[in-house]
Amino acid sequence: MDGSDDVCEIFCEPCEKAKQKTIAEGFCVDCSEYLCGQCFNHHKRFKQFEHHVLQDKNSMPLDPKHTVSKYVCTSKCQVHADEVIKYICKACDKIGCNVCMTIDHRSCDGVRYIPDEVKKSDTSVEIQEFAKMIDVMHVEQQELYDKIVQNFQASDKMNETAGKDLERQKDQIVTFFESLYDNIKTEIVRKQTSDDKDFKTLLKKASAMQTDLKNRKARLNILGKGQQMCEAFIFMKCTQAAMGKMSSDMMELSENGTKKPARYEPTLDVEELKEDIKCLGRLLTGEPDQITQSKINK
């Protein structure tokens, strides 16, 4: 500020709250407030402020933003929002504000002022050791995180492989049963084709016999109406000889025409298979080497 005509006046903050403009004569590091001479003197008298660090006009900060001291507590009490945590009960290993200590630790032997405690060398060592502990835990946590990522990737890959293996098994089963299906289907088609051919041949022969008999009957009727008895007699004898052969052919047609139709009967193996097989496989979980060992033990 030396050598400058611009002097920034700093006012007492408690007085400003009372709507008064009073030049600051000092500063409380713990309260982070500028104080006029009267407030500065009163601040020393109250028991609750007895451990506060006060700075006079010559040593107080000129910029309110630069008021932090390594021996100043600023964290607010979670129970008493208007109070700052400044004490530790070493007997209970609990920290708290002045109100906490008064209410909960009145009878405890070991309530200490935190700024006084942190000035001790062993406290500094404790903080350093705690920092190292955090570093160690951070490394362990990072290793755990990396392990989880690796396990997730391995699990995802194994699940994908398991799905592919299942699809592959399904395709094998489908191919196997389609092959069995195709075999019996081919047999049915072959039987159907053969029967169609045979029965069409039989029908053709039976139809030819019907036509022949019809024509012979018609010829016999014509000869009878024409009183051609000799011709009718000769025709009868010729027809009798032909009918002997026709009768033999009809017997053959009768035998071939009464073939038993085909009937499909499912094998009992399929039903037994359905009873025996309750699932296609098992989903094994664990590390790949553990799964392999599990298969060997089975």
Side-chain angles (χ1 to χ4, degrees), residues 209-226:
M209 287 181 184
Q210 286 183 332
T211 301
D212 187 25
L213 287 173
K214 183 179 179 181
N215 291 337
R216 288 179 183 275
K217 178 63 184 302
R219 174 63 178 165
L220 186 61
N221 288 337
I222 292 173
L223 292 175
K225 289 179 181 180

Side-chain angles (χ1 to χ4, degrees), residues 29-182:
V29 176
D30 292 78
C31 296
S32 188
E33 281 189 331
Y34 287 96
L35 306 171
C36 65
Q38 185 177 2
C39 290
F40 189 87
N41 292 328
H42 287 169
H43 207 75
K44 297 178 181 180
R45 297 175 184 174
F46 293 101
K47 185 176 181 179
Q48 61 181 350
F49 301 138
E50 62 180 339
H51 293 293
H52 284 204
V53 178
L54 297 174
Q55 297 174 333
D56 59 21
K57 189 172 184 179
N58 295 324
S59 59
M60 71 178 188
L62 299 180
D63 185 355
K65 296 180 181 179
H66 300 89
T67 61
V68 178
S69 170
K70 63 180 180 179
Y71 297 121
V72 175
C73 300
T74 59
S75 298
K76 293 293 185 179
C77 179
Q78 295 181 353
V79 180
H80 309 96
D82 295 333
E83 297 292 331
V84 175
I85 297 174
K86 299 179 184 178
Y87 300 93
I88 178 172
C89 176
K90 303 196 75 172
C92 302
D93 195 25
K94 299 289 185 180
I95 58 174
C97 66
N98 181 59
V99 179
C100 291
M101 295 300 136
T102 302
I103 296 175
D104 300 326
H105 303 273
R106 181 189 300 273
S107 60
C108 294
D109 183 16
V111 176
R112 300 289 185 270
Y113 185 52
I114 291 178
D116 291 341
E117 287 295 307
V118 299
K119 293 176 183 178
K120 299 178 181 179
S121 58
D122 56 343
T123 303
S124 178
V125 172
E126 182 182 357
I127 294 175
Q128 293 175 6
E129 291 299 323
F130 182 71
K132 292 179 181 178
M133 185 186 302
I134 293 178
D135 291 338
V136 171
M137 184 173 291
H138 180 266
V139 172
E140 293 176 349
Q141 190 278 334
Q142 184 63 49
E143 292 175 352
L144 175 62
Y145 178 86
D146 295 339
K147 183 65 175 178
I148 293 174
V149 171
Q150 292 175 3
N151 289 340
F152 173 71
Q153 293 174 345
S155 175
D156 187 60
K157 185 176 181 179
M158 290 180 68
N159 290 336
E160 182 180 357
T161 301
K164 291 181 179 179
D165 289 342
L166 177 61
E167 288 296 322
R168 188 180 301 109
Q169 184 187 32
K170 184 198 74 172
D171 293 340
Q172 291 173 349
I173 293 173
V174 170
T175 300
F176 173 72
F177 280 98
E178 282 185 345
S179 175
L180 297 180
Y181 169 85
D182 290 341

Side-chain angles (χ1 to χ4, degrees), residues 238-260:
C238 292
T239 299
Q240 285 177 343
M243 288 183 66
K245 175 66 170 60
M246 187 179 297
S247 178
S248 177
D249 291 341
M250 288 179 63
M251 186 175 297
E252 181 182 352
L253 287 175
S254 177
E255 292 176 356
N256 294 334
T258 56
K259 289 183 178 180
K260 293 182 179 180

